[in-house]
Amino acid sequence: MFKAGIIGYGTLGKTIAELIEAGHAGNVELKSVLVRSTKSSEHADKQAFTLTSDEDEFFNGDLDIIIESAGHQALHMFGEKVLANGSHLVVLSVGALGDTGFYEKLQAAAKQHDRQIFVPSAAIAGLDRIAAGALGEIEDITLITRKHPRSWKGTIAEEKVDLNMLTEPFCIYEGNARESSRLFPQSVNVSAALSLAGIGFENTKVKVYADPTIQSNTHTIKAKGYFGEVEISVSNVPYEENPKSSPIVAMSVAKVLKNLTSPFVIGI
């Protein structure tokens, strides 16, 4: 049985914990969750796993795999430590890997300690197709992300348009994936995952819309190359408490864990 830990216990962290506890992540046991403070966590003493703010306690827990679900800063703080301590690492704050130096450090740490870094499909689909296509030549990849204006509250979108007054779709960003993952660290991590699977951050085109005509978070990937052409669109139900993300992100983490402990694996 795999022993798992989670860094972060916000909306995503809690959902991942629930999926593991319910047996949806395969032969995996959740042992520990690292949080900033246990005082702010409800029912901290009633969990089957350990909820701790003590880094030493968490990293000395002999964990086989650790899921980062706490943001870019947390990944920078703990990513290398996870690998150095002998745990595999699941990354949700993929946009942080747009920092080339940090990305290379994580890869070097994984190689040195014979561990793996996993990037789930999370909010998009088709990363397996893109990664396979990248073994040949890919000419072009574009990601188009659309979310309701409420999902862009607290981002630079508020500097570009009055989100409360929008009545039609408004393009709040057009450029490449490196810049989009930096500008929207919580909302466009998908562009970073797509870049790593395909043709890199500079060559992956990104368009981001605030769209008052939709209620779901939508992502469309368009790519063409030696393999042919592909267009994939997904429409994700957002969390009410955190509209920047969707339950499918946590579910994709559970699938990664299930794959690691299953005798039969499909769709990788």
mmCIF file of all heavy atoms in Angstrom, residues 79-126:
data_model
loop_
_atom_site.group_PDB
_atom_site.id
_atom_site.type_symbol
_atom_site.label_atom_id
_atom_site.label_comp_id
_atom_site.label_asym_id
_atom_site.label_seq_id
_atom_site.Cartn_x
_atom_site.Cartn_y
_atom_site.Cartn_z
ATOM 1 N N GLY A 79 9.254 21.501 -2.986
ATOM 2 C CA GLY A 79 9.399 20.559 -4.084
ATOM 3 C C GLY A 79 10.653 19.708 -4.016
ATOM 4 O O GLY A 79 10.601 18.474 -4.060
ATOM 5 N N GLU A 80 11.804 20.344 -3.890
ATOM 6 C CA GLU A 80 13.064 19.613 -3.832
ATOM 7 C C GLU A 80 13.155 18.756 -2.571
ATOM 8 O O GLU A 80 13.694 17.640 -2.593
ATOM 9 C CB GLU A 80 14.236 20.592 -3.885
ATOM 10 C CG GLU A 80 14.432 21.260 -5.241
ATOM 11 C CD GLU A 80 15.607 22.217 -5.243
ATOM 12 O OE1 GLU A 80 16.758 21.731 -5.352
ATOM 13 O OE2 GLU A 80 15.391 23.438 -5.118
ATOM 14 N N LYS A 81 12.610 19.265 -1.474
ATOM 15 C CA LYS A 81 12.653 18.533 -0.204
ATOM 16 C C LYS A 81 11.851 17.243 -0.289
ATOM 17 O O LYS A 81 12.246 16.213 0.250
ATOM 18 C CB LYS A 81 12.127 19.409 0.934
ATOM 19 C CG LYS A 81 12.333 18.825 2.314
ATOM 20 C CD LYS A 81 11.996 19.828 3.400
ATOM 21 C CE LYS A 81 12.291 19.265 4.779
ATOM 22 N NZ LYS A 81 12.029 20.259 5.850
ATOM 23 N N VAL A 82 10.705 17.304 -0.963
ATOM 24 C CA VAL A 82 9.890 16.096 -1.160
ATOM 25 C C VAL A 82 10.726 15.007 -1.827
ATOM 26 O O VAL A 82 10.766 13.854 -1.371
ATOM 27 C CB VAL A 82 8.651 16.411 -2.029
ATOM 28 C CG1 VAL A 82 7.973 15.121 -2.483
ATOM 29 C CG2 VAL A 82 7.667 17.280 -1.262
ATOM 30 N N LEU A 83 11.398 15.368 -2.903
ATOM 31 C CA LEU A 83 12.177 14.397 -3.681
ATOM 32 C C LEU A 83 13.403 13.924 -2.906
ATOM 33 O O LEU A 83 13.733 12.734 -2.913
ATOM 34 C CB LEU A 83 12.590 15.031 -5.008
ATOM 35 C CG LEU A 83 11.410 15.438 -5.915
ATOM 36 C CD1 LEU A 83 11.881 16.412 -6.987
ATOM 37 C CD2 LEU A 83 10.765 14.209 -6.545
ATOM 38 N N ALA A 84 14.062 14.848 -2.221
ATOM 39 C CA ALA A 84 15.255 14.496 -1.452
ATOM 40 C C ALA A 84 14.923 13.551 -0.306
ATOM 41 O O ALA A 84 15.772 12.756 0.122
ATOM 42 C CB ALA A 84 15.919 15.765 -0.908
ATOM 43 N N ASN A 85 13.701 13.630 0.186
ATOM 44 C CA ASN A 85 13.272 12.758 1.278
ATOM 45 C C ASN A 85 12.801 11.388 0.785
ATOM 46 O O ASN A 85 12.345 10.567 1.573
ATOM 47 C CB ASN A 85 12.150 13.422 2.082
ATOM 48 C CG ASN A 85 12.684 14.279 3.204
ATOM 49 O OD1 ASN A 85 13.671 14.995 3.028
ATOM 50 N ND2 ASN A 85 12.059 14.229 4.366
ATOM 51 N N GLY A 86 12.879 11.182 -0.533
ATOM 52 C CA GLY A 86 12.559 9.873 -1.074
ATOM 53 C C GLY A 86 11.116 9.663 -1.471
ATOM 54 O O GLY A 86 10.689 8.522 -1.672
ATOM 55 N N SER A 87 10.353 10.751 -1.608
ATOM 56 C CA SER A 87 8.951 10.642 -2.017
ATOM 57 C C SER A 87 8.798 11.064 -3.473
ATOM 58 O O SER A 87 9.494 11.957 -3.947
ATOM 59 C CB SER A 87 8.063 11.533 -1.150
ATOM 60 O OG SER A 87 8.178 11.212 0.222
ATOM 61 N N HIS A 88 7.883 10.408 -4.176
ATOM 62 C CA HIS A 88 7.478 10.903 -5.486
ATOM 63 C C HIS A 88 6.664 12.183 -5.268
ATOM 64 O O HIS A 88 6.113 12.408 -4.182
ATOM 65 C CB HIS A 88 6.633 9.867 -6.222
ATOM 66 C CG HIS A 88 7.349 8.583 -6.494
ATOM 67 N ND1 HIS A 88 8.445 8.496 -7.320
ATOM 68 C CD2 HIS A 88 7.117 7.311 -6.043
ATOM 69 C CE1 HIS A 88 8.857 7.245 -7.388
ATOM 70 N NE2 HIS A 88 8.072 6.509 -6.611
ATOM 71 N N LEU A 89 6.575 13.014 -6.301
ATOM 72 C CA LEU A 89 5.912 14.303 -6.176
ATOM 73 C C LEU A 89 4.837 14.476 -7.243
ATOM 74 O O LEU A 89 5.104 14.308 -8.435
ATOM 75 C CB LEU A 89 6.945 15.436 -6.313
ATOM 76 C CG LEU A 89 6.434 16.876 -6.364
ATOM 77 C CD1 LEU A 89 5.725 17.262 -5.072
ATOM 78 C CD2 LEU A 89 7.593 17.841 -6.650
ATOM 79 N N VAL A 90 3.628 14.803 -6.806
ATOM 80 C CA VAL A 90 2.545 15.165 -7.726
ATOM 81 C C VAL A 90 2.395 16.681 -7.671
ATOM 82 O O VAL A 90 2.186 17.253 -6.597
ATOM 83 C CB VAL A 90 1.214 14.484 -7.337
ATOM 84 C CG1 VAL A 90 0.102 14.933 -8.293
ATOM 85 C CG2 VAL A 90 1.357 12.974 -7.358
ATOM 86 N N VAL A 91 2.489 17.327 -8.829
ATOM 87 C CA VAL A 91 2.474 18.787 -8.899
ATOM 88 C C VAL A 91 1.145 19.279 -9.458
ATOM 89 O O VAL A 91 0.749 18.894 -10.559
ATOM 90 C CB VAL A 91 3.629 19.298 -9.792
ATOM 91 C CG1 VAL A 91 3.526 20.809 -9.977
ATOM 92 C CG2 VAL A 91 4.975 18.925 -9.180
ATOM 93 N N LEU A 92 0.475 20.145 -8.699
ATOM 94 C CA LEU A 92 -0.723 20.810 -9.213
ATOM 95 C C LEU A 92 -0.441 22.248 -9.616
ATOM 96 O O LEU A 92 -1.080 22.766 -10.518
ATOM 97 C CB LEU A 92 -1.837 20.759 -8.165
ATOM 98 C CG LEU A 92 -2.472 19.384 -7.956
ATOM 99 C CD1 LEU A 92 -3.608 19.456 -6.948
ATOM 100 C CD2 LEU A 92 -2.987 18.808 -9.270
ATOM 101 N N SER A 93 0.507 22.898 -8.959
ATOM 102 C CA SER A 93 0.854 24.286 -9.304
ATOM 103 C C SER A 93 1.877 24.265 -10.431
ATOM 104 O O SER A 93 3.018 24.741 -10.299
ATOM 105 C CB SER A 93 1.399 25.013 -8.075
ATOM 106 O OG SER A 93 0.451 25.019 -7.041
ATOM 107 N N VAL A 94 1.450 23.735 -11.574
ATOM 108 C CA VAL A 94 2.369 23.469 -12.688
ATOM 109 C C VAL A 94 2.944 24.758 -13.259
ATOM 110 O O VAL A 94 4.041 24.764 -13.811
ATOM 111 C CB VAL A 94 1.653 22.673 -13.803
ATOM 112 C CG1 VAL A 94 2.666 22.132 -14.793
ATOM 113 C CG2 VAL A 94 0.840 21.535 -13.215
ATOM 114 N N GLY A 95 2.211 25.861 -13.125
ATOM 115 C CA GLY A 95 2.705 27.134 -13.645
ATOM 116 C C GLY A 95 4.047 27.539 -13.065
ATOM 117 O O GLY A 95 4.818 28.255 -13.705
ATOM 118 N N ALA A 96 4.349 27.066 -11.861
ATOM 119 C CA ALA A 96 5.635 27.385 -11.231
ATOM 120 C C ALA A 96 6.799 26.811 -12.032
ATOM 121 O O ALA A 96 7.936 27.296 -11.927
ATOM 122 C CB ALA A 96 5.670 26.849 -9.803
ATOM 123 N N LEU A 97 6.527 25.793 -12.846
ATOM 124 C CA LEU A 97 7.583 25.177 -13.641
ATOM 125 C C LEU A 97 7.925 26.012 -14.869
ATOM 126 O O LEU A 97 8.820 25.657 -15.637
ATOM 127 C CB LEU A 97 7.172 23.762 -14.052
ATOM 128 C CG LEU A 97 6.821 22.818 -12.893
ATOM 129 C CD1 LEU A 97 6.495 21.429 -13.412
ATOM 130 C CD2 LEU A 97 7.942 22.759 -11.874
ATOM 131 N N GLY A 98 7.217 27.121 -15.038
ATOM 132 C CA GLY A 98 7.582 28.076 -16.074
ATOM 133 C C GLY A 98 8.896 28.770 -15.760
ATOM 134 O O GLY A 98 9.528 29.368 -16.638
ATOM 135 N N ASP A 99 9.316 28.707 -14.505
ATOM 136 C CA ASP A 99 10.633 29.183 -14.079
ATOM 137 C C ASP A 99 11.638 28.091 -14.456
ATOM 138 O O ASP A 99 11.727 27.053 -13.801
ATOM 139 C CB ASP A 99 10.622 29.413 -12.566
ATOM 140 C CG ASP A 99 11.960 29.871 -12.007
ATOM 141 O OD1 ASP A 99 13.005 29.582 -12.616
ATOM 142 O OD2 ASP A 99 11.963 30.506 -10.931
ATOM 143 N N THR A 100 12.368 28.329 -15.532
ATOM 144 C CA THR A 100 13.246 27.306 -16.100
ATOM 145 C C THR A 100 14.254 26.778 -15.086
ATOM 146 O O THR A 100 14.491 25.565 -14.986
ATOM 147 C CB THR A 100 13.983 27.847 -17.338
ATOM 148 O OG1 THR A 100 13.023 28.303 -18.291
ATOM 149 C CG2 THR A 100 14.850 26.761 -17.971
ATOM 150 N N GLY A 101 14.857 27.691 -14.327
ATOM 151 C CA GLY A 101 15.851 27.281 -13.340
ATOM 152 C C GLY A 101 15.263 26.358 -12.292
ATOM 153 O O GLY A 101 15.874 25.336 -11.926
ATOM 154 N N PHE A 102 14.064 26.683 -11.816
ATOM 155 C CA PHE A 102 13.405 25.859 -10.806
ATOM 156 C C PHE A 102 13.015 24.506 -11.381
ATOM 157 O O PHE A 102 13.192 23.463 -10.741
ATOM 158 C CB PHE A 102 12.179 26.594 -10.269
ATOM 159 C CG PHE A 102 11.372 25.802 -9.279
ATOM 160 C CD1 PHE A 102 11.941 25.341 -8.106
ATOM 161 C CD2 PHE A 102 10.037 25.508 -9.531
ATOM 162 C CE1 PHE A 102 11.201 24.599 -7.193
ATOM 163 C CE2 PHE A 102 9.287 24.780 -8.625
ATOM 164 C CZ PHE A 102 9.876 24.318 -7.455
ATOM 165 N N TYR A 103 12.505 24.509 -12.590
ATOM 166 C CA TYR A 103 12.116 23.278 -13.271
ATOM 167 C C TYR A 103 13.308 22.340 -13.401
ATOM 168 O O TYR A 103 13.216 21.131 -13.124
ATOM 169 C CB TYR A 103 11.537 23.633 -14.638
ATOM 170 C CG TYR A 103 11.179 22.466 -15.532
ATOM 171 C CD1 TYR A 103 10.454 21.379 -15.047
ATOM 172 C CD2 TYR A 103 11.556 22.462 -16.870
ATOM 173 C CE1 TYR A 103 10.112 20.317 -15.871
ATOM 174 C CE2 TYR A 103 11.219 21.403 -17.706
ATOM 175 C CZ TYR A 103 10.504 20.336 -17.200
ATOM 176 O OH TYR A 103 10.174 19.283 -18.017
ATOM 177 N N GLU A 104 14.452 22.892 -13.781
ATOM 178 C CA GLU A 104 15.651 22.082 -13.944
ATOM 179 C C GLU A 104 16.146 21.547 -12.601
ATOM 180 O O GLU A 104 16.638 20.419 -12.510
ATOM 181 C CB GLU A 104 16.741 22.895 -14.647
ATOM 182 C CG GLU A 104 16.408 23.183 -16.111
ATOM 183 C CD GLU A 104 17.430 24.078 -16.787
ATOM 184 O OE1 GLU A 104 18.298 24.636 -16.068
ATOM 185 O OE2 GLU A 104 17.365 24.216 -18.026
ATOM 186 N N LYS A 105 16.012 22.348 -11.532
ATOM 187 C CA LYS A 105 16.409 21.885 -10.201
ATOM 188 C C LYS A 105 15.557 20.703 -9.749
ATOM 189 O O LYS A 105 16.065 19.734 -9.180
ATOM 190 C CB LYS A 105 16.281 23.032 -9.189
ATOM 191 C CG LYS A 105 17.402 24.045 -9.221
ATOM 192 C CD LYS A 105 17.202 25.086 -8.123
ATOM 193 C CE LYS A 105 18.312 26.122 -8.140
ATOM 194 N NZ LYS A 105 18.117 27.151 -7.083
ATOM 195 N N LEU A 106 14.237 20.805 -9.994
ATOM 196 C CA LEU A 106 13.348 19.713 -9.610
ATOM 197 C C LEU A 106 13.685 18.444 -10.381
ATOM 198 O O LEU A 106 13.723 17.341 -9.807
ATOM 199 C CB LEU A 106 11.892 20.095 -9.869
ATOM 200 C CG LEU A 106 11.156 20.917 -8.806
ATOM 201 C CD1 LEU A 106 9.677 21.013 -9.149
ATOM 202 C CD2 LEU A 106 11.327 20.330 -7.412
ATOM 203 N N GLN A 107 13.929 18.599 -11.666
ATOM 204 C CA GLN A 107 14.276 17.422 -12.478
ATOM 205 C C GLN A 107 15.573 16.785 -11.990
ATOM 206 O O GLN A 107 15.689 15.557 -11.906
ATOM 207 C CB GLN A 107 14.417 17.817 -13.943
ATOM 208 C CG GLN A 107 13.112 18.057 -14.661
ATOM 209 C CD GLN A 107 13.279 17.924 -16.175
ATOM 210 O OE1 GLN A 107 13.069 16.875 -16.756
ATOM 211 N NE2 GLN A 107 13.668 18.995 -16.800
ATOM 212 N N ALA A 108 16.544 17.632 -11.660
ATOM 213 C CA ALA A 108 17.830 17.127 -11.181
ATOM 214 C C ALA A 108 17.663 16.392 -9.852
ATOM 215 O O ALA A 108 18.275 15.341 -9.624
ATOM 216 C CB ALA A 108 18.824 18.278 -11.034
ATOM 217 N N ALA A 109 16.822 16.947 -8.970
ATOM 218 C CA ALA A 109 16.571 16.314 -7.671
ATOM 219 C C ALA A 109 15.880 14.970 -7.854
ATOM 220 O O ALA A 109 16.201 13.984 -7.176
ATOM 221 C CB ALA A 109 15.736 17.230 -6.789
ATOM 222 N N ALA A 110 14.923 14.914 -8.769
ATOM 223 C CA ALA A 110 14.212 13.658 -9.035
ATOM 224 C C ALA A 110 15.176 12.593 -9.557
ATOM 225 O O ALA A 110 15.132 11.427 -9.132
ATOM 226 C CB ALA A 110 13.088 13.896 -10.035
ATOM 227 N N LYS A 111 16.058 12.988 -10.454
ATOM 228 C CA LYS A 111 17.030 12.045 -11.015
ATOM 229 C C LYS A 111 18.013 11.583 -9.951
ATOM 230 O O LYS A 111 18.320 10.387 -9.841
ATOM 231 C CB LYS A 111 17.765 12.696 -12.181
ATOM 232 C CG LYS A 111 18.722 11.771 -12.903
ATOM 233 C CD LYS A 111 19.339 12.453 -14.120
ATOM 234 C CE LYS A 111 20.276 11.497 -14.856
ATOM 235 N NZ LYS A 111 20.870 12.140 -16.074
ATOM 236 N N GLN A 112 18.491 12.528 -9.148
ATOM 237 C CA GLN A 112 19.478 12.201 -8.116
ATOM 238 C C GLN A 112 18.938 11.204 -7.095
ATOM 239 O O GLN A 112 19.649 10.297 -6.651
ATOM 240 C CB GLN A 112 19.920 13.485 -7.398
ATOM 241 C CG GLN A 112 20.928 13.239 -6.282
ATOM 242 C CD GLN A 112 21.286 14.520 -5.544
ATOM 243 O OE1 GLN A 112 20.920 15.623 -5.963
ATOM 244 N NE2 GLN A 112 22.015 14.390 -4.443
ATOM 245 N N HIS A 113 17.660 11.377 -6.738
ATOM 246 C CA HIS A 113 17.067 10.550 -5.688
ATOM 247 C C HIS A 113 16.181 9.426 -6.241
ATOM 248 O O HIS A 113 15.477 8.768 -5.480
ATOM 249 C CB HIS A 113 16.277 11.433 -4.724
ATOM 250 C CG HIS A 113 17.117 12.482 -4.052
ATOM 251 N ND1 HIS A 113 18.011 12.184 -3.051
ATOM 252 C CD2 HIS A 113 17.222 13.821 -4.280
ATOM 253 C CE1 HIS A 113 18.622 13.298 -2.665
ATOM 254 N NE2 HIS A 113 18.168 14.297 -3.389
ATOM 255 N N ASP A 114 16.247 9.251 -7.568
ATOM 256 C CA ASP A 114 15.512 8.162 -8.232
ATOM 257 C C ASP A 114 14.017 8.217 -7.911
ATOM 258 O O ASP A 114 13.400 7.200 -7.604
ATOM 259 C CB ASP A 114 16.089 6.807 -7.825
ATOM 260 C CG ASP A 114 15.618 5.679 -8.741
ATOM 261 O OD1 ASP A 114 15.277 5.975 -9.900
ATOM 262 O OD2 ASP A 114 15.583 4.518 -8.284
ATOM 263 N N ARG A 115 13.464 9.408 -8.014
ATOM 264 C CA ARG A 115 12.034 9.631 -7.780
ATOM 265 C C ARG A 115 11.414 10.189 -9.047
ATOM 266 O O ARG A 115 12.110 10.591 -9.981
ATOM 267 C CB ARG A 115 11.780 10.592 -6.624
ATOM 268 C CG ARG A 115 12.306 10.141 -5.252
ATOM 269 C CD ARG A 115 11.572 8.922 -4.728
ATOM 270 N NE ARG A 115 12.196 7.666 -5.155
ATOM 271 C CZ ARG A 115 11.718 6.468 -4.898
ATOM 272 N NH1 ARG A 115 10.584 6.334 -4.226
ATOM 273 N NH2 ARG A 115 12.349 5.395 -5.316
ATOM 274 N N GLN A 116 10.064 10.247 -9.091
ATOM 275 C CA GLN A 116 9.369 10.785 -10.257
ATOM 276 C C GLN A 116 8.497 11.982 -9.876
ATOM 277 O O GLN A 116 7.980 12.066 -8.754
ATOM 278 C CB GLN A 116 8.492 9.711 -10.894
ATOM 279 C CG GLN A 116 9.268 8.639 -11.644
ATOM 280 C CD GLN A 116 8.346 7.628 -12.302
ATOM 281 O OE1 GLN A 116 7.765 6.794 -11.618
ATOM 282 N NE2 GLN A 116 8.205 7.708 -13.614
ATOM 283 N N ILE A 117 8.332 12.869 -10.857
ATOM 284 C CA ILE A 117 7.430 14.011 -10.723
ATOM 285 C C ILE A 117 6.248 13.764 -11.652
ATOM 286 O O ILE A 117 6.438 13.520 -12.853
ATOM 287 C CB ILE A 117 8.130 15.327 -11.108
ATOM 288 C CG1 ILE A 117 9.355 15.556 -10.226
ATOM 289 C CG2 ILE A 117 7.166 16.511 -10.994
ATOM 290 C CD1 ILE A 117 10.277 16.658 -10.735
ATOM 291 N N PHE A 118 5.047 13.826 -11.110
ATOM 292 C CA PHE A 118 3.846 13.570 -11.898
ATOM 293 C C PHE A 118 3.054 14.866 -12.071
ATOM 294 O O PHE A 118 2.824 15.599 -11.107
ATOM 295 C CB PHE A 118 2.964 12.530 -11.204
ATOM 296 C CG PHE A 118 3.617 11.184 -11.048
ATOM 297 C CD1 PHE A 118 4.240 10.833 -9.865
ATOM 298 C CD2 PHE A 118 3.616 10.272 -12.097
ATOM 299 C CE1 PHE A 118 4.847 9.600 -9.715
ATOM 300 C CE2 PHE A 118 4.227 9.034 -11.960
ATOM 301 C CZ PHE A 118 4.848 8.695 -10.763
ATOM 302 N N VAL A 119 2.639 15.120 -13.309
ATOM 303 C CA VAL A 119 1.769 16.258 -13.617
ATOM 304 C C VAL A 119 0.447 15.697 -14.135
ATOM 305 O O VAL A 119 0.381 15.197 -15.262
ATOM 306 C CB VAL A 119 2.396 17.192 -14.670
ATOM 307 C CG1 VAL A 119 1.427 18.316 -15.022
ATOM 308 C CG2 VAL A 119 3.709 17.776 -14.148
ATOM 309 N N PRO A 120 -0.618 15.733 -13.338
ATOM 310 C CA PRO A 120 -1.914 15.203 -13.781
ATOM 311 C C PRO A 120 -2.505 16.038 -14.915
ATOM 312 O O PRO A 120 -2.130 17.211 -15.116
ATOM 313 C CB PRO A 120 -2.791 15.311 -12.525
ATOM 314 C CG PRO A 120 -1.845 15.515 -11.390
ATOM 315 C CD PRO A 120 -0.664 16.232 -11.962
ATOM 316 N N SER A 121 -3.437 15.465 -15.641
ATOM 317 C CA SER A 121 -4.142 16.228 -16.678
ATOM 318 C C SER A 121 -4.949 17.364 -16.068
ATOM 319 O O SER A 121 -5.190 18.387 -16.702
ATOM 320 C CB SER A 121 -5.068 15.302 -17.476
ATOM 321 O OG SER A 121 -4.321 14.408 -18.256
ATOM 322 N N ALA A 122 -5.398 17.149 -14.817
ATOM 323 C CA ALA A 122 -6.102 18.194 -14.060
ATOM 324 C C ALA A 122 -7.311 18.712 -14.823
ATOM 325 O O ALA A 122 -8.207 17.960 -15.155
ATOM 326 C CB ALA A 122 -5.143 19.303 -13.667
ATOM 327 N N ALA A 123 -7.326 20.019 -15.156
ATOM 328 C CA ALA A 123 -8.522 20.635 -15.722
ATOM 329 C C ALA A 123 -8.661 20.450 -17.231
ATOM 330 O O ALA A 123 -9.662 20.869 -17.810
ATOM 331 C CB ALA A 123 -8.539 22.125 -15.388
ATOM 332 N N ILE A 124 -7.663 19.846 -17.880
ATOM 333 C CA ILE A 124 -7.761 19.670 -19.334
ATOM 334 C C ILE A 124 -7.712 18.180 -19.686
ATOM 335 O O ILE A 124 -7.546 17.330 -18.828
ATOM 336 C CB ILE A 124 -6.656 20.434 -20.098
ATOM 337 C CG1 ILE A 124 -5.261 20.032 -19.608
ATOM 338 C CG2 ILE A 124 -6.863 21.919 -19.974
ATOM 339 C CD1 ILE A 124 -4.130 20.661 -20.412
ATOM 340 N N ALA A 125 -7.830 17.903 -20.968
ATOM 341 C CA ALA A 125 -7.772 16.532 -21.462
ATOM 342 C C ALA A 125 -6.801 16.484 -22.637
ATOM 343 O O ALA A 125 -6.473 17.509 -23.227
ATOM 344 C CB ALA A 125 -9.162 16.067 -21.903
ATOM 345 N N GLY A 126 -6.339 15.289 -22.943
ATOM 346 C CA GLY A 126 -5.538 15.124 -24.140
ATOM 347 C C GLY A 126 -4.046 15.288 -23.981
ATOM 348 O O GLY A 126 -3.318 15.287 -24.983
#
